Amino acid sequence: MSTGFFGDIEPIRYEGPESTNPLAYRFYDPDEIVQGKRLEDHLRFAVAYWHSFAWPGGDPFGGQTFERPWFGDDMDKARLKADVAFEMFSLLGVPYYCFHDADVRPEGKNFAESAARLDEIAGIFEKKQAQSGVKLLWGTANLFSHRRYMAGAATNPDPEVFAYAAATVKSCIDVTRRLEGENYVLWGGREGYETLLNTDMKREREQAGRFLSMVVDYKHSIGFRGTILIEPKPQEPTKHQYDYDVATVYGFLKDFGLENEVKVNIEQGHAILAGHSFEHELALAAALGIFGSIDMNRNDYQSGWDTDQFPNNVPEMALAYYQVLLAGGFTTGGTNFDAKLRRQSLDPQDLLIAHIGAMDCCARGLKAAARMIDDKALIRPLEERYAGWNGEEANAMLAGRRTLEQVAERVVKDGIEPQPRSGRQEYLENVVNRYV
Amino acid sequence: MSTGFFGDIEPIRYEGPESTNPLAYRFYDPDEIVQGKRLEDHLRFAVAYWHSFAWPGGDPFGGQTFERPWFGDDMDKARLKADVAFEMFSLLGVPYYCFHDADVRPEGKNFAESAARLDEIAGIFEKKQAQSGVKLLWGTANLFSHRRYMAGAATNPDPEVFAYAAATVKSCIDVTRRLEGENYVLWGGREGYETLLNTDMKREREQAGRFLSMVVDYKHSIGFRGTILIEPKPQEPTKHQYDYDVATVYGFLKDFGLENEVKVNIEQGHAILAGHSFEHELALAAALGIFGSIDMNRNDYQSGWDTDQFPNNVPEMALAYYQVLLAGGFTTGGTNFDAKLRRQSLDPQDLLIAHIGAMDCCARGLKAAARMIDDKALIRPLEERYAGWNGEEANAMLAGRRTLEQVAERVVKDGIEPQPRSGRQEYLENVVNRYV
Amino acid sequence: MSTGFFGDIEPIRYEGPESTNPLAYRFYDPDEIVQGKRLEDHLRFAVAYWHSFAWPGGDPFGGQTFERPWFGDDMDKARLKADVAFEMFSLLGVPYYCFHDADVRPEGKNFAESAARLDEIAGIFEKKQAQSGVKLLWGTANLFSHRRYMAGAATNPDPEVFAYAAATVKSCIDVTRRLEGENYVLWGGREGYETLLNTDMKREREQAGRFLSMVVDYKHSIGFRGTILIEPKPQEPTKHQYDYDVATVYGFLKDFGLENEVKVNIEQGHAILAGHSFEHELALAAALGIFGSIDMNRNDYQSGWDTDQFPNNVPEMALAYYQVLLAGGFTTGGTNFDAKLRRQSLDPQDLLIAHIGAMDCCARGLKAAARMIDDKALIRPLEERYAGWNGEEANAMLAGRRTLEQVAERVVKDGIEPQPRSGRQEYLENVVNRYV
Amino acid sequence: MSTGFFGDIEPIRYEGPESTNPLAYRFYDPDEIVQGKRLEDHLRFAVAYWHSFAWPGGDPFGGQTFERPWFGDDMDKARLKADVAFEMFSLLGVPYYCFHDADVRPEGKNFAESAARLDEIAGIFEKKQAQSGVKLLWGTANLFSHRRYMAGAATNPDPEVFAYAAATVKSCIDVTRRLEGENYVLWGGREGYETLLNTDMKREREQAGRFLSMVVDYKHSIGFRGTILIEPKPQEPTKHQYDYDVATVYGFLKDFGLENEVKVNIEQGHAILAGHSFEHELALAAALGIFGSIDMNRNDYQSGWDTDQFPNNVPEMALAYYQVLLAGGFTTGGTNFDAKLRRQSLDPQDLLIAHIGAMDCCARGLKAAARMIDDKALIRPLEERYAGWNGEEANAMLAGRRTLEQVAERVVKDGIEPQPRSGRQEYLENVVNRYV
C-alpha cells in the first residue's frame, strides 16, 4: 500500500547516542520518561505540509528543484500527496501534523469549489488519522500566496478581500474542528505594508482587530475548543508585518481585549529576524501569559530573510526548551517543523533525514533543559540574585504601598548607597555547558 | 559677558536658500508661517546638554577627543558649562533645551549632595531661562552611567537600586517642574538584560510597571502638568531593552493601565536599530494615541550601534514631519537634537554648524510635509484606496455587526471574487519627490 | 503598430521641475549640457528586461501578480515581449537596454534549441535596434534560475554543469557581440555555497578563476571589444556568494591576473546588503581601477534581502554620481535599472512611472554632483586636509625612501607630537545639502 | 608572593567532564594527545591583557564598573597589573599571553617617555616569562585610543601621525622580538573613515600599503622571525575599516605584493560583524594561504557592535577548529581570548571562570573536530561530491587546456544535460551533531 516514494524503508527507531545510522534516532526515544512525562508528550512533534510537501524548491532567483510525483493542480495529485505525507508521518513516528488549506488541495475556480475540495481532502485526512493515530496539531488558511491577498487579507484596503479571507478562515476552522485539531493558527504574511505612503495603519489595525474578534467569536459559537494562535513575524514578504514580535502582538491583543483568547506560535527564525533570540520570545510570551506553541525553524544568522532551516544547534534548543519547561510545557501547543529542506536536498531520504536530525536535536535540548531544571542549576542563582526583593520594604514598594516621595525620603534618611554585585554571566554560561 | 568659547560670532540668522554662509540658516526662518503657525512653533527645536556639552568624544575604542574648558568634576566647571550652553542656545535661537541631571552637575559624594548640586544648578538655569527666553523642553535623570545602575535602575535585582533611582527621578521631576519643563522623559538604558540566564523578565517587568506608576502618581500629586515620555530603544547598552520600540511600549502601558498617562519620545536612530523606519514609529505612535516628542538623531544605516548623528537627509525628514503633522503636530513635545558631533569635529564652530545644518534639514522637511498635506498629494490617493470601506456592508463588518458565518455566506452567495488593484507605490514615491 | 499595452500614450518628454504630469520628466532633459556633455551621455540609462518584462510579481510567499499578455513559454510570447519592451524603451527615450538569455527566449528542450531560440530573438533585436536607435548596454547569461545550476555554474561540483555554463556564456557573448553590446556581465548568483560542510572553497574558487579566464580569452579571440563586468553581491540566493563585494572581487581578479581585464557592475542594493554604502563601493572600485557600470536598484534599509527597488532618494543619488564623475564618468558602462516594480504595482503605467521617477532622481543627483565638482565644494576641503602630505619628508616616507627606523628616529629627534584637527563632517554634510 | 587578588586559590586543573567544580577544566587536559599532539600544543591558548586587565568595564552609556587595584596612571600600578596578570596566566596554565603597549604601561608625556616605559615593563615581562614559562604569542601597538589617532594612524591625513605611528610600531616590534613573541599583530581600528566626504580612499590605501611594507622590511632588517598578522574588522569604531574581512585584506596584500609576508588573525566577532560565519573566514584564509591565528571572542548574534564575549557554543567551536585543523593547525598562531568579561562580572573569580569556560569550550570543539577528521566524516562525502572533476576532460578544462569554444562544442556534440544531485546539507549537519 506504500506509495514507494521513500523506497524500501523501515520506520525510524531509537538506537541510542552511539548509533551512526542516519535513519535512526539517537536521542529521541518517544517513551523515555522525563520529569514524569513521555518525551513524545513533552515535545509533541508535528510535521508541516507546507514546506515538506508543497514547496517546490524555488527561491527568488530560481524555480523548482524538487520533482515530486504529487506536484500538480488536480485532486489526484492532492490525494497522492496525502498518501506520501501520512506515510512519512508514520515512518517518523510523529504524533502530529499541520497544514494550510492551500497545501492540501488545489485552488478551485471560485471560493465554493476551493472549500469543497478542502472538505474532500478533510474526509481523506479523517480516515488517515484514524488509521495512523497521527493527529492534527493545527490547521490554518493560506491568506498570502494568491494575488488577491497581495495587499493584505484582513488588512486589505478592499473589504471584499476581507470578506473572502473571513470566509476562507471559517472554512479552515470548520475543517480543523472536524479533524479535532488542537489549535488554529493565523500567520499574517500580508498583514502589513510595503510603503506607508499608501497605508492607513490605524485603519488597518482596526480591520485586523475586528477580523480576529470575529474569529474568536466564531470559535466559541461552534464550540471549537482549540487554541487560536497568532504567529509573529517582523517582515517578509511585507516590509513591515503588523504581528512583528511577541511584544507587538501582546499590545494588539490587549487593545482588542483578546489577551485571554489568543496565544502565540513562536518561530525561531522569526524571532531572529525581529532582532530577538528565540528564548527571549519564549520567555516574554510566558511572562505575558500568551505562550502557545512553537515552529522550530531556525534562521541562518548570516541571512536577512527567512531561511526556515531545520534546527541543528543543540545548545540553542536547550535554552529554548528551558523556557518552554519553565512556562509549564506545552498544553495544546507543540513543536512544529515548518522547516524547509535546502533547495539542493533533492532526495526523498533528505526529507526523512532532516526531520530525524531536527527531532534528535530537540530531544537532546529538552532533556538538557529538564536536567537544568531538576538541578535548579540556573534557578537557584536566580533566586539568590533577586532575594533582596523578599524584604519587607522592598515588598511594600513593589506592592504599591509606597509613594515616590516616601521612597526618596528613605534614601536620604538611611543614606542608601547601593553596591553593585556580579551578574555572573560567564559562570551561568558555563553551567549551561555542563548540560549540553 | 560672553565666555568667548565660540569666538566673535553673531547670532545665526536666516539668509535664505541661496546663502552659502555656513553660519546662517537657509531654510529655518522661525517666523515663517506654515499652515497658519510660525515655523518655530511647529518645530519646537531643543538642544540637548547630553551630547553637545557633556560627551567628551569617547567611543569604545578611544578616549576623549574634545577639550572643553568646562570638563571636570567641580561645580565651577558646571557653571561654566551652563554659561556656554545658554550662549549657544541664544546664538542658535532655539526655543528649548533638555538635560539629564548628570549632564549639568557633578555627582556628589552621596544622594543628598547630588540632589543639592542639581538644585543649585536649577537656580542658575532659572535665571538664564528668564534672561534668554529659552525654555526647558524636558528634564530627565541619568539612570544608566553610574555603576550602581549596571544591572538596571527600576528593574535592578537589588531593591535598593530601585529606591535610589526613584529618589533620583523625584529630584529630577521636582527640578523639571521648577524650571517649567513641558515634559519629563524616561529612557531606560539599563532596563533590560545582558543574558536571560540571570534574568527574571516577568518580575523585572513588574518592577518597571510599578516604578512608572509611582512616577505618574507623583506627577499628579505635585501638580506637574508636563507629559511623561518614554523613549524606546531596542538595545545598547543592554542586549535587550524592555522599551524596545513603540509597539512594545504600548503593550507595556496597556498592561499597567498607563496608556493615557504616558507618551513616547521617538528617536530616529533607535527606530532604525529596532528594524523600523522613523516614519513607521511616528505613524504607529499616532495610531495608538501615544505620540509625544522626537529626538532627531539619525543612525548610520551601515552601523549596528547608536551613532546619534545630526540628521542630514531631507527626504527622510519630510516623511517624518509628514507623520508629525498628520498626527496634529507637537503639543508639549518638540524636536530635540540628542545628537553628537562626530568625534573628530573638534572645533567650537562644528557644534554650531551641526545644529544649523540639522535645523535647516528639519525645516526643509517640515515645509515639504506641510505642502504635501495642503495639496492632499498623498491623502487623496489614500482615501481612494480605502474607499470601498465606506460601503454599507463593509461598514457593518468593521463595526462588528457581522459574524464570520454571515460574511462567509455572503461570499458564497454573491460569488465574491476580489480583483487586486495597483498599490501605486512608485507613483506615490514620485509625488513625494515633487516636494523635496 | 503599437501593441497597445501602454494604451494611448505619447513619448515621455521633459517638462521641467514645476510639472506635475506623472508621465513627464521634471529633471531629465537628455539634451541638457552638463560639464560639456549631454545628460543622456552622462547617465547612459538602460532598462533591464529581467525585472521589467520577465518577472511575474512573485516572492517567496506568493505567486504571480502581474498579468502580462507576453507571459508564456513559446516563441510567440517572446516576440510580443520584445515588441512591448522596445515600445517602452522608445516611450521612455532611453538609449540602452540589457538582458539575460532567459529573459528573452523560452528555454529549449536542450542546449542547442535554447541557443537557436536566442539567435532568433537576436535577429529581431537587431532590427528593432536599427529602427529605434536603442542600443544594447550589456548582455548576460542566466546561470542561476534553472535547477541544473542549483549548486553553482562555474563553481558546480559537477564539471558537466561547468561545461554547460561555459557553452551558455559563449552563446550569450556571441549574441552580445552581434548586437554590438558595450559590455558583457557575469552575476554569479549561485557561485557561492549554502553550507561549508559540503563545499571545497579553494577548489570552487579555482573553477571560478578558470571560467573567467576562459571568458576573457574568448572575448579576445573573437575581437569582442565590450568590457567584461562582474556584478558583486554578498549573498542571496546563496548563503555566501564568492563575488561578495568590490574588495572581494578585486582580490579574486588579482589572484588570477585579471584585474586589467574585468571591471565591476555595482548595484546599490547589493552594496547595502554587503554592509557598505553605494558610494563606498563606487569610490573603492574607482580607487582600485575596476569601476565599470552601475545597477541602480536600491535596497530597503529595513529589509535583509534584495528588494531591487527603483531609486527615490535624491541625496543618495547625488553622492553616487559624485563618485562616478570623480572617477571620470562612464566609458562603456551606464545606469541600468535592474529594478522591479513593487509586486502590487499592476498597471502598465506603473512600469513607465517607476522608470520616469527613477530617471528623474538620477538626473537630479547627477546634476547636483556636477555642480559640487564644478564648485570644488568638497574637493577643496579635501585637498586642504591632506596638504601635509605635500611636504618633502612626508613624500619621502610615502615614496618608500624612509625606513621604519629612520622615521622613528625623526619622531624622537624632532619631538613630534601631532595635534588632531577637526574632520568637519557636519560642515561637509551641510555643503552637500546646498546642492540637493 | 601572590598579590592576593584572586584570593586563596589553587591552579586550575583538569577534572574531567563529570566535574561540577566551576574552577576546574572539564575538557581541557593540556596533556591529552589528539592526532599525535598535546592539546596544549594544538590550542596554544593566550590571554589578552587588553580586555582582561586594562578594560575598566565601560561602555558608551556608562563608566567604569570594575575596581581593580592596578587601575591608575603610574608605573607602580603597571607593575602590579603585571603581577596579577602573570598570576592569572599561571593559575589558568595558559602557555601564552598577548598585549598592546598601552595595556601594559601608562602613556608618557611624549613618545620617548612612552617608549622608555614600555622597555621597563618589557624587562619585567622578561623575568616573569622566565619564571613562569609563559610565552608571548604576540605584541601589538595601540594605534586607536589616543586622540592623535582619531583620524587614522597609517591612514591619517597628517603625515606626522603616520610618523608617530611608525615609531610606535617600531618600538613595539622591538619589544616583541626581545620577548621572543611569535607574531606581531596590526589591528587598524582607526584605519578607515567616518565619512567619504572628507576621505581620499585611494590615497589612504596607499599610505596603508606603504606603512605595512615598512613594517615588513623592518622585521626582516632586524631578523625578527615572528609572523606579521593583520586582524580584519569591518567597522567600529570607524564607519568603515579598510581591513574589512579576510577577502579584503587578501586583495590589499596582493596589491602591495605582501601576500607571502603577512597573514591574518581572525576574530569570531569580527567575522560576524562582517556578515560571515567564523568558519567562513577561517576556510577562506586557508584557501588563500594567509591563515595565521585566531581571536576567540564571539559576538552576540543580536547585537550590531563588537560584544567581544567569551565563546560558549561548542558546535560553533567545533566547526571553527575543524577549519583550523584542515588548514594544518596553528604554526606561530594560537587561540587568543581578546574577550571581555561582561560589565557586570565584577568579581575576581569571574575573570578565571570566563577563561575556564571558554578554554573548555574550545577544547571540546577541537576534540570533536579532530574526530570528524579522523573519521573522514565530512571529507569522504566532500570527495564524492567533487569526484567528477577527476575525469580527464574535466581536468583539461580546469587546467586551462580547453577554450570556451571547445567546451561549447562538446556540450552540443555530446548533448550534455547535467542532472542535479542532492547537496545533502541536512545529512551533513546531522553528522556534525554526532561529534559535538
Side-chain angles (χ1 to χ4, degrees), chain B residues 31-77:
Chain B
D31 295 317
E32 181 176 347
I33 301 299
V34 173
Q35 297 190 332
K37 202 154 95 176
R38 292 174 64 247
L39 200 47
E40 180 178 287
D41 299 332
H42 269 295
L43 288 162
R44 296 170 59 86
F45 284 129
V47 168
Y49 241 81
W50 174 240
H51 282 128
S52 291
F53 299 102
W55 182 59
D59 67 23
F61 295 87
Q64 176 172 349
T65 57
F66 299 151
E67 298 187 324
R68 307 301 198 204
W70 61 81
F71 283 174
D73 265 347
D74 56 67
M75 286 296 284
D76 278 351
K77 299 292 195 185

Side-chain angles (χ1 to χ4, degrees), chain B residues 17 19-22 26-27 65 67 272 275-278 298 301-302 309-316 340-347 350 353-354 356-358 361 364 385 419-430 433-436, chain C residues 17 19-22 26-27 65 67 272 275-278 298 301-302 309-316 340-347 350 353-354 356-358 361 364 385 419-430 433-436:
Chain B
S19 172
T20 60
N21 176 2
R26 298 168 56 243
F27 295 93
T65 57
E67 298 187 324
I272 288 164
H276 307 302
S277 68
F278 190 27
R298 71 179 175 96
Y301 284 115
Q302 278 82 47
Q309 295 179 253
F310 284 92
N312 69 346
N313 190 294
V314 174
E316 290 185 359
K340 33 184 195 191
L341 286 179
R342 296 304 81 200
R343 189 174 178 261
Q344 297 181 36
S345 299
L346 305 175
D347 297 344
D350 291 329
I353 283 173
I356 292 167
C361 198
R364 221 168 145 181
R385 192 165 188 243
Q419 293 308 310
R421 271 170 296 187
S422 172
R424 305 183 73 196
Q425 179 165 340
E426 296 82 3
Y427 166 74
L428 296 167
E429 289 172 346
N430 293 0
N433 266 330
R434 264 194 236 149
Y435 292 87
V436 292
Chain C
S19 171
T20 58
N21 175 2
R26 297 169 55 243
F27 295 93
T65 56
E67 298 186 324
I272 288 164
H276 306 303
S277 68
F278 189 27
R298 70 179 176 95
Y301 283 115
Q302 277 82 47
Q309 294 179 256
F310 285 92
N312 69 345
N313 191 292
V314 174
E316 290 184 359
K340 31 183 196 192
L341 285 179
R342 297 303 81 199
R343 188 173 179 262
Q344 298 181 36
S345 299
L346 305 174
D347 297 345
D350 291 328
I353 283 174
I356 292 167
C361 197
R364 220 170 148 181
R385 192 166 187 241
Q419 293 308 311
R421 271 171 296 187
S422 172
R424 305 182 74 196
Q425 179 165 341
E426 296 81 4
Y427 167 74
L428 297 167
E429 289 172 346
N430 292 359
N433 266 330
R434 265 194 236 148
Y435 292 87
V436 292

Side-chain angles (χ1 to χ4, degrees), chain A residues 153 158-168 211, chain B residues 397 407-408 410-411 416:
Chain A
D158 179 356
E160 300 294 65
V161 179
F162 180 103
Y164 198 99
T168 303
F211 194 92
Chain B
M397 279 197 304
V407 174
R410 183 164 65 86
V411 167
I416 287 176

Side-chain angles (χ1 to χ4, degrees), chain D residues 69-333:
Chain D
W70 59 80
F71 283 174
D73 265 346
D74 57 66
M75 286 294 285
D76 277 351
K77 298 294 194 184
R79 280 182 286 261
L80 174 58
K81 195 198 285 191
D83 290 343
V84 177
F86 274 81
E87 213 165 283
M88 191 175 88
F89 306 154
S90 293
L91 281 173
L92 291 172
V94 290
Y96 290 102
Y97 75 112
C98 303
F99 67 88
H100 300 83
D101 54 351
D103 305 343
V104 301
R105 57 100 189 104
E107 179 90 9
K109 67 178 180 298
N110 54 30
F111 174 77
E113 190 181 64
S114 292
R117 286 175 169 189
L118 181 61
D119 276 335
E120 185 185 332
I121 294 291
I124 294 171
F125 284 179
E126 235 169 359
K127 279 183 214 135
K128 286 184 178 289
Q129 290 186 193
Q131 284 159 8
S132 65
V134 176
K135 290 165 290 180
L136 180 61
L137 187 64
W138 43 262
T140 187
N142 176 326
L143 305 178
F144 47 91
S145 292
H146 195 280
R147 66 195 290 272
R148 75 172 67 87
Y149 297 123
M150 70 177 198
T155 62
N156 202 291
D158 180 356
E160 299 295 64
V161 179
F162 181 103
Y164 198 99
T168 303
V169 168
K170 182 194 166 291
S171 73
C172 290
I173 295 180
D174 289 345
V175 158
T176 300
R177 183 189 173 218
R178 174 177 169 195
L179 296 173
E180 297 179 13
E182 305 191 14
N183 309 270
Y184 183 82
V185 167
L186 294 141
W187 175 65
R190 303 280 172 198
E191 314 294 21
Y193 61 80
E194 290 303 325
T195 175
L196 272 179
L197 299 181
N198 69 12
T199 303
D200 181 338
M201 197 155 36
K202 185 178 171 71
R203 177 194 283 274
E204 295 201 358
R205 215 168 163 274
E206 272 159 33
Q207 293 176 208
R210 167 53 41 209
F211 194 93
L212 186 59
S213 298
M214 285 165 75
V215 167
V216 167
D217 289 348
Y218 183 66
K219 166 193 145 156
H220 289 304
S221 78
I222 62 168
F224 173 55
R225 287 184 315 201
T227 308
I228 305 290
L229 297 170
I230 284 183
E231 183 174 328
K233 190 178 178 185
Q235 58 165 191
E236 203 214 17
T238 63
K239 171 184 165 65
H240 177 89
Q241 194 167 316
Y242 295 134
D243 302 332
Y244 200 82
D245 57 8
V246 167
T248 303
V249 169
Y250 180 72
F252 173 77
L253 294 177
K254 285 291 287 186
D255 213 15
F256 293 93
L258 297 169
E259 71 272 21
N260 297 318
E261 293 284 356
V262 178
K263 298 195 183 305
V264 282
N265 182 42
I266 303 173
E267 180 173 316
Q268 188 190 15
H270 297 178
I272 288 163
L273 289 177
H276 307 303
S277 69
F278 190 27
E279 58 267 28
H280 169 83
E281 288 289 83
L282 294 167
L284 181 60
L288 297 172
I290 58 170
F291 172 63
S293 198
I294 60 181
D295 263 17
M296 197 51 107
N297 343 350
R298 70 178 175 97
N299 218 64
D300 185 295
Y301 283 115
Q302 277 82 47
S303 305
W305 63 95
D306 207 2
T307 63
D308 274 328
Q309 295 180 253
F310 284 92
N312 70 346
N313 190 292
V314 173
E316 290 184 0
M317 294 304 95
L319 293 177
Y321 282 111
Y322 183 74
Q323 296 297 338
V324 171
L325 291 179
L326 278 188
F330 296 119
T331 54
T332 62

Side-chain angles (χ1 to χ4, degrees), chain B residues 206-221:
Chain B
E206 271 160 33
Q207 291 176 209
R210 166 54 41 210
F211 194 92
L212 186 58
S213 298
M214 285 166 76
V215 167
V216 168
D217 289 347
Y218 182 66
K219 165 193 146 155
H220 290 302
S221 77

Side-chain angles (χ1 to χ4, degrees), chain A residues 49 53-54 70 77-86 102-104:
Chain A
Y49 240 81
F53 299 102
W70 59 82
K77 299 293 193 183
R79 281 181 286 261
L80 174 58
K81 195 197 287 191
D83 290 344
V84 177
F86 274 81
D103 305 342
V104 301

